Amino acid sequence: EAGVAQSPRYKIIEKRQSVAFWCNPISGHATLYWYQQILGQGPKLLIQFQNNGVVDDSQLPKDRFSAERLKGVDSTLKIQPAKLEDSAVYLCASSLDPDISGNTIYFGEGSWLTVV
Amino acid sequence: SQKIEQNSEALNIQEGKTATLTCNYTNYSPAYLQWYRQDPGRGPVFLLLIRENEKEKRKERLKVTFDTTLKQSLFHITASQPADSATYLCALDPGGGNKLTFGTGTQLKVEL
């Protein structure tokens, strides 16, 4: 079974530029998550989708971050304009059933962003 | 405010010994607690889940305990091996949709 795919793997941009990350979840997984992991910290949930609807985006900095999940499959996370403090790993994850807690969450390898 | 604490200092142990990692939390009532392993440059990988009404869960060399009175979970790796060296994250789920809050993780180093 293919895992969660993310691209690009690494990205370096200057502050105030924009960047987009793409995620393809495991086939059949209804729930998709974007997490931000700053070096030395645990992942922090940015947004959670159920199919193509947003379940939770309470920690998404909406003035600069946006995310969409068209057709309930792939998702894109965009940052515009980027700030130095956005330097982090952006992890995409998916799980099978959105209404049941205790489901295993499968993470991708992450997209590493450095803002200079 | 909600707080999850894991040992910030790395844990160094000898091969063959049992590693014990701690996860403490405050102002939280999780229905589930999960443990993940994260290797450098990789995404977290799920290891074990324990429910609030379970005291202990085992999987091969791994054991997790969950004490909702103490607000603490302990994660044990018996007969540790150098391949167990990684960062271990605990994550709490209040129930109702897999909304995980992660701790900062503890780095484990198993030496020969």
Side-chain angles (χ1 to χ4, degrees):
Chain A
E1 179 181 81
V4 177
Q6 292 189 244
S7 68
R9 192 82 168 89
Y10 303 96
K11 192 76 176 178
I12 301 174
I13 62 172
E14 294 183 349
K15 58 184 179 183
R16 291 186 290 275
Q17 285 188 324
S18 64
V19 63
F21 301 114
W22 171 84
C23 173
N24 179 242
I26 293 173
S27 178
H29 280 196
T31 309
L32 184 147
Y33 316 78
W34 283 102
Y35 284 84
Q36 179 194 57
Q37 186 173 23
I38 293 172
L39 189 64
Q41 298 183 19
K44 183 183 85 171
L45 179 67
L46 292 177
I47 189 166
Q48 179 178 348
F49 292 94
Q50 175 180 331
N51 296 308
N52 60 347
V54 175
V55 173
D56 184 351
D57 63 357
S58 58
Q59 297 191 93
L60 187 73
K62 298 180 186 63
D63 57 334
R64 297 183 301 104
F65 286 64
S66 65
E68 60 181 8
R69 189 183 185 196
L70 300 176
K71 300 180 182 178
V73 181
D74 294 2
S75 177
T76 303
L77 176 71
K78 296 180 181 177
I79 307 174
Q80 182 180 14
K83 292 185 175 181
L84 296 176
E85 58 261 36
D86 298 332
S87 294
V89 180
Y90 291 87
L91 295 162
C92 181
S94 68
S95 66
L96 188 58
D97 191 322
D99 293 325
I100 298 177
S101 277
N103 264 292
T104 298
I105 295 181
Y106 297 87
F107 284 85
E109 300 290 50
S111 292
W112 292 64
L113 174 66
T114 301
V115 182
V116 298
Chain B
S1 61
Q2 296 174 346
K3 197 172 182 181
I4 303 170
E5 292 183 332
Q6 295 186 253
N7 292 348
S8 57
E9 292 183 10
L11 177 63
N12 297 326
I13 64 167
Q14 273 192 321
E15 183 180 19
K17 301 291 186 183
T18 296
T20 299
L21 285 67
T22 305
C23 176
N24 294 301
Y25 58 92
T26 55
N27 297 323
Y28 211 114
S29 296
Y32 304 85
L33 190 146
Q34 301 187 22
W35 284 89
Y36 287 77
R37 170 183 173 141
Q38 188 171 27
D39 291 285
R42 309 294 293 273
V45 174
F46 171 79
L47 295 174
L48 277 171
L49 175 148
I50 189 166
R51 294 173 171 77
E52 62 178 337
N53 60 352
E54 297 177 318
K55 296 295 184 185
E56 182 179 299
K57 202 81 167 280
R58 292 176 184 261
K59 178 182 176 183
E60 297 173 351
R61 295 185 295 113
L62 309 180
K63 184 179 85 171
V64 173
T65 63
F66 192 11
D67 189 326
T68 55
T69 301
L70 290 178
K71 296 187 182 296
Q72 181 182 78
S73 175
L74 299 178
F75 177 79
H76 306 272
I77 306 175
T78 58
S80 59
Q81 305 165 0
D84 296 326
S85 298
T87 295
Y88 291 86
L89 299 158
C90 72
L92 277 59
D93 180 358
N98 262 7
K99 291 183 176 59
L100 296 182
T101 301
F102 282 85
T104 55
T106 297
Q107 186 178 12
L108 172 67
K109 294 181 183 177
V110 181
E111 300 164 337
L112 292 170

